[in-house]
Amino acid sequence: MELFDTLTRLASRLDSQRELLSTEEATKNAVIMPIINALGYNVFDPTEVIPEFTADVGVKKGEKVDYAIVVDGEPTILIECKGINTKLDFKHASQLYRYFGVTAARFAVLTNGQHLWFYTDLDSPNQMDSKAFFKFDLNDFDARDVAELSKFGKSVFNLDNILANATELKYTQQLGAVLATEVESPSDELVKHLTSKIYDGRFTAAVCDQFRPLVKSAFRDFINERLSNRLKSALQGVSADIEAPESEADDEPQDNGIVTTAEEIEGFHIVRAILAKHIPVKRVVMRDTKSYCGVLLDDNNRKPICRLHFNGGQKYIGTFDAEKNETRNPIERLEAIYDFEEQIVGSIHAYDGSAEPASAPVE
């Protein structure tokens, strides 16, 4: 959960800070080092993370890779960093490619802060592949992506397990990219294949043009329906026990009309990220209603932390004073939730005297 919360916090600030991260050094300090640290490696300990790692390659002398992560005494993961506005391309991995074959490294990472591309030597031993086997996007990730990234964590790192999964992961992600392209712009081959299942006439160019938008629409409807069903299923464990609040007239009991949105889930994780240094995040619980999405301490509706009013055109975050009076604060972007850290933290201190102060993170 610590890794997920760190990534969520970094992602929520990424767009608003993008202009400030135009240089490579700024990107490294603000985004890449926190990710390395969240994986369990001490970025200030050269026995774990070597900055400006140097290994002479043939006639190339003194070239450096930004970081080398050390595992069992060997530089095992090489990281090459670019500024956040750099569009990544394999040409940016030239130093990684050269270093890969002359060091003990088994993985190489090319990153601009937002995107992290992971490489190994699936095609030829000791030669870095030209295609990444895993790509992580800080602006577009889910729990499965975080689970894959977490395998590189210090406490769980297992070379054999990662390599065994790398081939499947590589082709799964590439197939996913192909499917994404087909969903957005179905190819003639796909339209023909699907149309042949329901249309007995001759497949002509005119028929192809007629069915292409139908295929695209059917794809999107199918995906949206599946996502909606999976979202409801995933949230049952969080909100299945929702009960009607006992003293607040505007609360509504949960029923089948409640739809928890992706923005509400993201907002909930931002609140968790804010509170992670004060209390165990498992104590921060989401309860959705028709009117709003509530965030509670210890799953207790008498201990509201905040409310996410995201159902209308204008988004609000509801914060509470010591008497539990709610103030609705308009926000334009989800990362604006961080602006209300003082009120959010203040709520848990009002309910829980054991909560650590802001200057003392929970171990």
Side-chain angles (χ1 to χ4, degrees):
M1 184 58 69
E2 178 183 350
L3 177 60
F4 191 99
D5 289 337
T6 296
L7 295 170
T8 300
R9 183 171 62 253
L10 292 173
S12 68
R13 298 176 177 177
L14 199 60
D15 287 338
S16 62
Q17 296 181 347
R18 189 172 291 273
E19 291 185 3
L20 302 175
L21 304 180
S22 58
T23 67
E24 180 181 313
E25 284 302 313
T27 301
K28 287 160 63 174
N29 292 334
V31 185
I32 299 168
M33 288 176 64
I35 292 177
I36 295 174
N37 191 65
L39 288 170
Y41 303 99
N42 185 350
V43 294
F44 302 109
D45 183 351
T47 67
E48 293 188 13
V49 181
I50 304 173
E52 298 296 305
F53 178 69
T54 303
D56 292 338
V57 183
V59 297
K60 295 283 187 178
K61 304 295 183 181
E63 284 194 299
K64 299 176 180 180
V65 171
D66 291 294
Y67 300 104
I69 294 179
V70 179
V71 178
D72 295 331
E74 295 285 356
T76 303
I77 307 172
L78 305 179
I79 304 176
E80 178 69 13
C81 307
K82 301 298 177 184
I84 201 161
N85 295 318
T86 301
K87 185 176 181 180
L88 293 186
D89 188 275
F90 184 70
K91 66 182 180 182
H92 296 129
S94 58
Q95 286 168 274
L96 289 174
Y97 188 86
R98 289 194 292 270
Y99 277 33
F100 194 90
V102 297
T103 67
R106 298 307 308 274
F107 302 103
V109 182
L110 178 63
T111 179
N112 62 0
Q114 177 181 336
H115 301 277
L116 293 89
W117 293 1
F118 289 76
Y119 298 85
T120 187
D121 55 352
L122 297 176
D123 297 332
S124 299
N126 301 318
Q127 181 174 314
M128 193 178 94
D129 298 336
S130 61
K131 291 185 178 181
F133 72 88
F134 173 50
K135 292 185 177 183
F136 184 90
D137 185 346
L138 192 58
N139 267 352
D140 184 16
F141 65 86
D142 57 25
R144 289 176 297 178
D145 297 322
V146 177
E148 292 297 336
L149 184 61
S150 69
K151 293 177 182 178
F152 292 89
K154 177 183 175 181
S155 62
V156 298
F157 186 89
N158 186 299
L159 177 64
D160 293 334
N161 287 347
I162 298 175
L163 289 175
N165 188 49
T167 300
E168 179 180 347
L169 189 61
K170 174 182 178 179
Y171 291 116
T172 298
Q173 286 208 336
Q174 290 180 12
L175 285 170
V178 171
L179 286 173
T181 301
E182 292 285 7
V183 169
E184 186 61 31
S185 180
S187 64
D188 291 353
E189 293 81 0
L190 180 64
V191 175
K192 181 177 181 180
H193 173 72
L194 295 178
T195 301
S196 67
K197 305 291 184 181
I198 59 174
Y199 179 73
D200 296 329
R202 191 166 68 92
F203 188 82
T204 64
V207 172
C208 184
D209 291 340
Q210 176 187 351
F211 274 90
R212 194 189 312 279
L214 300 180
V215 169
K216 181 176 181 178
S217 178
F219 256 132
R220 287 186 172 179
D221 290 346
F222 175 79
I223 292 172
N224 288 337
E225 182 179 354
R226 285 298 181 94
L227 285 175
S228 178
N229 291 338
R230 291 192 64 176
L231 184 61
K232 290 177 182 178
S233 176
L235 288 170
Q236 283 178 356
V238 176
S239 57
D241 296 329
I242 293 177
E243 57 181 312
E246 298 176 12
S247 59
E248 299 180 9
D250 63 337
D251 285 341
E252 297 181 46
Q254 180 178 1
D255 59 30
N256 291 333
I258 296 173
V259 177
T260 303
T261 67
E263 284 190 328
E264 289 172 334
I265 294 174
E266 185 176 350
F268 167 65
H269 283 297
I270 291 175
V271 175
R272 273 191 157 189
I274 290 172
L275 295 175
K277 61 184 178 181
H278 301 282
I279 58 174
V281 293
K282 65 182 179 181
R283 297 183 62 192
V284 183
V285 179
M286 178 173 65
R287 285 197 188 182
D288 203 2
T289 73
K290 286 184 179 180
S291 303
Y292 59 81
C293 180
V295 183
L296 309 175
L297 181 66
D298 298 328
D299 202 13
N300 187 335
N301 58 28
R302 295 186 180 87
K303 296 181 178 181
I305 297 172
C306 65
R307 290 175 177 173
L308 307 177
H309 300 272
F310 290 176
N311 294 334
Q314 172 66 59
K315 295 182 178 64
Y316 298 88
I317 176 171
T319 55
F320 294 88
D321 60 20
E323 285 72 41
K324 299 183 185 179
N325 297 313
E326 182 186 7
T327 299
R328 295 194 183 192
N329 309 280
I331 59 174
E332 299 301 324
R333 303 186 307 273
L334 292 184
E335 56 265 29
I337 294 174
Y338 283 103
D339 295 338
F340 300 92
E341 178 174 358
E342 182 178 351
Q343 295 94 318
I344 291 171
V345 174
S347 293
I348 65 167
H349 288 315
Y351 305 137
D352 187 358
S354 67
E356 295 288 342
S359 58
V362 172
E363 297 294 337

